[in-house]
Amino acid sequence: MESYPPPPGSDHGDRVPPAAGVRPEILASWKRSQSLGIDREQAALPIESDLDPDSRLIRAAAPVLARLYERFSGVPVTVALADSRARIVDRWGDAAGIQLMDAASLVPGANVDERFMGTSSVSMVLSTRSPFVVVGHEHFLHDLKDLTCMAAPVRDPVGGTVRGAVNLSVPRTLADPGMALVLQDATERIGERLLELSTARELELTHSFRRAMERGGHAELDLGSGELSRLGGPPPRLASQERLILLERAVELISSTGEAFAEVPLAGSRVAVLRRRELHHGDAEGAAVEVSFEDAGGAGTPSPATATASDGRPVPLLNRPAGAAGAGAPRATAEPHAAGATDAWLLLVGEPGVGRLAAEARGRLSLLNEAGVRLGTTLDLWRTAEELAEIAVPRFADLVVVDLAESVLAGEEPPPGPLRPDVALRRVAAWSGEESRDSPAGGVNEPAGYPAGTPQARCLETGQPVTDSVVTAALAGRPVDEVHPVGFLGEGVHSYLGAPLSARGSVLGLAGFYRRGRTRPYEQDDLTLAGELAARTAISMDNARRYRREHQASLTLQRSLLPHALPRLSTVDLASRYLPADARTGVGGDWFDAIPLSGMRVALVVGDVPGNGLQAAATMGRLRTAVRTLAGLDLMPEEVLAHLDDLVSRTPDESAGEQDPATGTTCLYAIYDPVSSRCTAARAGHPPPALLTPGGEAKLIGLPAGPPLGLGGIQPYESATVDLPAGSLLTMYTDGLLKESRGYEDTDARTGQLLASLNRAGPELEAICDRVADTLLPGGPHDDVALLLARVHALPADRVASWEFPPEPAVVARARALTRAQLAAWGMPELEFNIGLVVSELVTNAVRYGGRGPVGLRLLRDDSLICEVSDRSNTSPRIRRAATTEEGGRGLFLVAQYTKNWGARYMPQGKTVWAEQIPQREQPAPETDEQALLAMFDDLG
């Protein structure tokens, strides 16, 4: 026991427990207790009245704890016994101590678990399964801070399970480390008494054998700790797996009617020799197994003597002092070893039938417990099948094969009920131990089929486990050898057990368990165990199947919502990366986009939806569609964000108080104009972009901060405009790029790493993406990351022509003449008719309906020719159907017929109507049928 005094200056009446000098286990318990809202002044302990005063634990502990209390006579100690559910079942103490326990509600039936009492020695013992001491200030309750409480577990010597705990409380100033040692001795004695209170027949057998061995000076195996003890020397060291093997072999010997001894190889060239002895005591008959050890290489412990049995077999004898043969020794003659310390230990005592059944039951429980821990550790059908096989071999079977329906492997929903015998199956696992790991036998990942009448077919048809014996001597060629894996089994007669993999009313496949030979045929209990193993496996497989189906659906959705390829633009070079936090799922709410706009401009977008998974991907797709729709209206960045915020703020059902899953989404929207070489951007709770100019250093662009979408309220979004010299690199990203694996992030430091990596960037954008990812995410992202790089180029001045005219009808002819001359200078005379007609119609509309302001005309030449006409009116242009007698109303219709695209965008003052035409020098312009065009506008009414 270690002493943990309170920190200097602390007071046991403090309302907040001090943290200094306290162990991590105590601190963790405090946090749990605080989260449960336990009152430190007076905890409310539930009290149960249905205690059994004659329980096995109380009967075993009462005399031991009474003597323990008497041993501390004169010291104000209290002793309490709690069961495995943390209920006080008995207590000892003087009148004053009992009165204090009553005041603290520590009465029989009170539950002192951490959930109700907070940190206490009993709760720590039951959670750690080992002795524990809670000293003074480490208690959660204030009225216990003057005490040192030490507790130790009471273990069942046979199974090692914790049956309860004993608590010894003493004033802190009187605590002594020796008290904890005395307490542990008492709990060990209680464990021994639990064993003594076992069945009378087993007890009689044990006493009979112990009395018989008294003259031989044998020691015994401590069933509580598993360590061997002996008189006169240190015991051999045994690993837990070695102890398990010895006990299982001893059970087989006790249950056997013919075997009298067995040898078990151990680590370090040692061999354990087990010998069975018959026991008779009144009407009780049973057997005991002794164990001795020898060195297989001849060194170390001397080999036991041997004798010749009646059938001529050599039988090893346990080493004994000369003349110390006890009752029950075999009738064999052998030269005894010299007198000395014995090396024989009592390993197991029991009745043949009862011992075997009990051991097998424990083995089945152990197997099921392991299956519960190991099965379904991954959402992978193939790995789950392998886990089942690895669990069952060799304890339950020598070989396991698992076959699944092809439809299940494809993620489809299996039909309800059993499977048809002709269903398409595929083998997903075949395991017979480590030697089969690299073996190509077994037909793994190959189709499997079972003819009618085979046990596998019966299992699939009935949906119930079946057992049978299978003969493999005649199964030498294909396709018959696919029914049973002869390569693993070998020829002969073997035991087979088939169990359907059933989950949620459907059969997914079957598991086949084989035991070589017929010495251990499968029994009814084995059918039950195999069915339970198969059912647990099937649930994990069905979960994996459902996960795979949802995963594929999520990936398909997300990939369809993200841009398949970035547009190829002459004024902007683009590169991108999408890095999901979970590479297996690949589903998140981050997105990026590049949207071509009129006037050779481009909109660059990066956004981050909260959360991940299918809902986040769907929300991302909804917002991305909304952004593209708003971008098509040629709105300013701040207007786009305002519309998005309004969209997210309108919940589907405001009366239900629901919140849009897009609430809290961050977004960065930027528009680059290659004519002016300017970028206008606005952000909604998003990190600002980084800019690297030619010959300069990377830096963040200062943008006004706006709230995330759905949280804007009345706060407006603002944009900022910056000049981007030709060749500048614009970097837009989501905040996952700046997150680390720790629970906190140094954003400034991570931003510095990003800017440093951009400063070292080369000309290739794809290489820059890789450099940024490798620098900031060397171990992979901890949150979804979207990264968009844009290297901008300015449109040369010789590819731009612009004029401004007064709002007079006479300027239409001048605008056509200037356009004609500019097209000739650019070498595009084939567009003279089409563009001349477009300029005439648009300038005429601007003069007539554009207000009193000037009329602007601009021509932009790139891979296409763009004509833009601006005026001071905000009236929206639209195509309408003109009547037969009307002279006007056909202008925009003609513009749409003679151009590839047309549209209008709005400015702070006025609008711009634009039209785009792609030169086609190879093909002459088709002659226009004027009558057909006019017929389309005939007024049918």
Side-chain angles (χ1 to χ4, degrees):
M1 183 185 73
E2 299 181 37
S3 177
Y4 292 89
S10 66
D11 186 2
H12 67 274
D14 292 342
R15 291 299 179 261
V16 179
V22 179
R23 291 164 287 177
E25 304 97 309
I26 298 293
L27 290 175
S29 177
W30 281 352
K31 293 178 181 179
R32 292 192 299 267
S33 303
Q34 290 171 346
S35 65
L36 293 172
I38 300 173
D39 187 359
R40 294 193 183 96
E41 302 298 335
Q42 183 65 43
L45 303 181
I47 299 176
E48 302 179 25
S49 58
D50 58 342
L51 297 179
D52 181 10
D54 195 37
S55 67
R56 184 183 174 194
L57 177 63
I58 294 178
R59 286 189 289 116
V64 177
L65 297 183
R67 288 194 297 270
L68 175 67
Y69 175 70
E70 293 174 1
R71 180 167 183 175
F72 294 108
S73 178
V75 180
V77 301
T78 56
V79 179
L81 173 65
D83 62 11
S84 59
R85 294 172 52 190
R87 299 178 304 176
I88 296 178
V89 296
D90 212 345
R91 58 183 185 172
W92 290 261
D94 58 13
I98 296 297
Q99 185 176 1
L100 290 176
M101 295 182 73
D102 290 340
S105 299
L106 300 176
V107 298
N111 196 313
V112 294
D113 188 76
E114 187 182 73
R115 296 171 298 167
F116 313 110
M117 186 177 179
T119 309
S120 68
S121 56
V122 172
S123 65
M124 298 302 294
V125 164
L126 295 180
S127 62
T128 62
R129 325 300 280 183
S130 59
F132 210 93
V133 179
V134 179
V135 181
H137 67 285
E138 294 182 331
H139 286 96
F140 189 80
L141 299 182
H142 291 299
D143 54 4
L144 297 180
K145 293 184 180 297
D146 286 332
L147 300 176
T148 292
C149 298
M150 52 197 76
V154 176
R155 297 183 182 276
D156 190 321
V158 177
T161 58
V162 175
R163 298 296 185 185
V166 177
N167 176 78
L168 179 66
S169 299
V170 63
R172 189 174 56 187
T173 56
L174 300 178
D176 183 81
M179 293 180 175
L181 301 177
V182 175
L183 177 61
Q184 292 185 39
D185 290 340
T187 55
E188 291 174 2
R189 177 55 187 152
I190 296 174
E192 295 175 0
R193 285 182 52 80
L194 285 174
L195 180 62
E196 293 171 1
L197 294 175
S198 59
T199 63
R201 291 177 65 83
E202 293 282 339
L203 188 61
E204 289 180 358
L205 291 174
T206 304
H207 289 170
S208 174
F209 185 74
R210 285 180 174 174
R211 286 193 295 270
M213 292 296 100
E214 284 178 357
R215 293 187 298 274
H218 283 65
E220 64 186 54
L221 178 68
D222 185 273
L223 297 180
S225 64
E227 299 295 336
L228 292 170
S229 59
R230 61 177 290 176
L231 302 176
R237 304 289 296 181
L238 289 178
S240 58
Q241 187 65 23
E242 291 176 334
R243 292 198 298 268
L244 178 61
I245 294 175
L246 290 180
L247 287 174
E248 290 180 351
R249 196 67 183 93
V251 169
E252 295 176 3
L253 276 180
I254 289 179
S255 303
S256 173
T257 57
E259 288 186 281
F261 72 95
E263 292 184 352
V264 179
L266 302 176
S269 301
R270 295 180 303 160
V271 176
V273 180
L274 281 66
R275 182 176 181 86
R276 179 176 183 269
R277 289 183 175 276
E278 299 291 341
L279 298 177
H280 303 278
H281 184 75
D283 61 349
E285 296 184 357
V289 175
E290 292 178 319
V291 59
S292 64
F293 301 90
E294 64 174 281
D295 194 316
T301 306
S303 301
T306 60
T308 302
S310 58
D311 58 359
R313 294 178 302 157
V315 180
L317 296 177
L318 299 174
N319 293 341
R320 294 191 175 191
R331 295 182 180 180
T333 59
E335 185 69 24
H337 285 259
T342 177
D343 63 350
W345 290 267
L346 172 63
L347 183 58
L348 192 67
V349 177
E351 296 177 88
V354 176
R356 180 180 67 85
L357 294 177
E360 290 179 353
R362 286 196 299 268
R364 294 189 186 98
L365 288 176
S366 174
L367 196 63
L368 287 176
N369 179 66
E370 183 178 353
V373 173
R374 294 181 57 184
L375 279 176
T377 56
T378 62
L379 290 172
D380 182 83
L381 287 167
W382 296 76
R383 181 55 194 154
T384 302
E386 293 172 356
E387 289 171 344
L388 170 64
E390 292 170 359
I391 290 170
V393 176
R395 285 188 288 174
F396 186 69
D398 297 319
L399 168 67
V400 176
V401 295
V402 181
D403 304 316
L404 290 179
E406 293 277 13
S407 59
V408 173
L409 290 173
E412 301 175 6
E413 192 73 25
L419 292 176
R420 302 186 312 274
D422 59 345
V423 68
L425 299 174
R426 181 168 292 273
R427 183 152 298 168
V428 294
W431 180 260
S432 62
E434 289 294 334
E435 67 277 2
S436 64
R437 183 176 297 277
D438 300 323
S439 175
V444 176
N445 201 21
E446 294 182 2
Y450 300 107
T454 59
Q456 294 94 332
R458 297 202 311 270
C459 177
L460 292 175
E461 288 175 337
T462 62
Q464 299 294 328
V466 299
T467 182
D468 204 344
S469 60
V470 295
V471 182
T472 59
L475 305 180
R478 300 175 67 89
V480 186
D481 62 344
E482 295 179 356
V483 178
H484 302 289
V486 183
F488 282 156
L489 288 171
E491 296 185 354
V493 181
H494 310 287
S495 297
Y496 173 79
L497 192 159
L501 299 170
S502 303
R504 300 179 177 93
S506 301
V507 176
L508 313 181
L510 80 157
F513 303 89
Y514 293 88
R515 286 178 180 171
R516 294 186 179 92
R518 293 289 295 161
T519 57
R520 294 186 302 146
Y522 286 107
E523 301 174 352
Q524 184 62 38
D525 289 342
D526 295 321
L527 284 172
T528 304
L529 175 60
E532 180 66 22
L533 288 174
R536 296 190 181 192
T537 304
I539 291 296
S540 298
M541 287 182 166
D542 194 50
N543 291 337
R545 179 193 63 81
R546 290 167 175 258
Y547 167 78
R548 182 175 183 178
R549 183 183 61 186
E550 297 298 329
H551 179 212
Q552 292 297 332
S554 300
L555 285 181
T556 302
L557 174 63
Q558 186 196 40
R559 289 167 181 167
S560 65
L561 296 177
L562 284 173
H564 297 281
L566 293 173
R568 298 177 63 87
L569 304 172
S570 60
T571 56
V572 178
D573 298 331
L574 300 170
S576 64
R577 287 291 185 275
Y578 181 82
L579 304 174
D582 189 345
R584 296 172 299 175
T585 61
V587 179
D590 292 20
W591 89 92
F592 58 88
D593 213 342
I595 308 169
L597 303 178
S598 63
M600 302 182 67
R601 298 169 305 138
V602 60
L604 304 174
V605 190
V606 171
D608 184 1
V609 174
N612 50 39
L614 190 59
Q615 185 182 51
T619 303
M620 174 267 289
R622 179 164 63 92
L623 290 180
R624 179 170 178 255
T625 302
V627 169
R628 295 186 71 89
T629 302
L630 294 171
L633 300 177
D634 266 322
L635 300 178
M636 296 296 291
E638 65 271 20
E639 295 175 341
V640 171
L641 295 182
H643 283 292
L644 285 176
D645 178 73
D646 184 59
L647 173 67
V648 175
S649 299
R650 293 197 303 265
T651 59
D653 186 3
E654 296 182 1
S655 62
E658 296 180 1
Q659 189 179 61
D660 193 307
T663 302
T665 298
T666 64
C667 184
L668 173 63
Y669 189 93
I671 296 177
Y672 171 66
D673 187 350
V675 178
S676 62
S677 296
R678 287 186 173 183
C679 178
T680 303
R683 61 188 179 117
H686 204 85
L691 175 63
L692 175 63
T693 57
E697 293 187 355
K699 62 180 180 180
L700 297 181
I701 298 178
L703 295 180
L709 301 181
L711 306 175
I714 61 175
Q715 181 176 354
Y717 292 98
E718 300 180 49
S719 62
T721 301
V722 294
D723 293 326
L724 300 185
S728 297
L729 178 64
L730 187 66
T731 302
M732 302 169 64
Y733 51 91
T734 56
D735 61 355
L737 190 67
L738 306 180
K739 290 185 178 180
E740 298 181 271
S741 60
R742 304 190 299 263
Y744 57 91
E745 287 80 39
D746 188 349
T747 304
D748 293 339
R750 300 282 290 177
T751 302
Q753 294 179 12
L754 170 62
L755 298 179
S757 64
L758 293 177
N759 287 329
R760 298 190 299 269
E764 295 294 332
L765 293 185
E766 295 294 334
I768 298 175
C769 287
D770 294 337
R771 174 187 290 274
V772 170
D774 294 341
T775 301
L776 277 82
L777 309 169
H782 305 284
D783 189 12
D784 296 334
V785 174
L787 176 64
L788 180 63
L789 300 183
R791 175 165 281 127
V792 300
H793 307 285
L795 189 66
D798 59 356
R799 295 193 178 191
V800 180
S802 60
W803 303 274
E804 191 173 273
F805 307 105
E808 300 174 356
V811 303
V812 177
R814 176 171 171 75
R816 282 199 304 267
L818 292 173
T819 300
R820 188 181 309 112
Q822 187 62 54
L823 293 177
W826 283 344
M828 307 173 73
E830 71 277 6
L831 297 181
E832 179 180 326
F833 176 79
N834 290 0
I835 297 301
L837 177 61
V838 170
V839 169
S840 294
E841 295 296 336
L842 295 183
V843 173
T844 299
N845 286 343
V847 170
R848 288 183 177 180
Y849 313 111
R852 299 184 178 181
V855 175
L857 171 63
R858 186 170 73 168
L859 300 178
L860 304 177
R861 175 196 170 195
D862 194 47
D863 296 333
S864 63
L865 182 67
I866 300 174
C867 173
E868 298 180 343
V869 176
S870 304
D871 58 47
R872 295 297 179 88
S873 172
N874 290 322
T875 304
S876 175
R878 61 183 178 86
I879 298 178
R880 69 182 183 89
R881 180 180 294 275
T884 306
T885 58
E886 288 184 306
E887 296 181 357
R890 299 177 179 87
L892 291 181
F893 173 77
L894 294 175
V895 170
Q897 290 292 323
Y898 280 91
T899 60
K900 178 185 178 183
N901 296 309
W902 78 279
R905 66 175 181 269
Y906 298 88
M907 301 174 294
Q909 295 181 351
K911 67 177 182 298
T912 297
V913 182
W914 57 271
E916 181 182 12
Q917 179 68 36
I918 299 179
Q920 296 181 352
R921 296 182 177 85
E922 296 81 2
Q923 300 180 357
E927 295 185 3
T928 304
D929 186 350
E930 291 86 353
Q931 295 301 323
L933 290 174
L934 293 174
M936 296 178 66
F937 279 84
D938 285 345
D939 191 352
L940 300 178

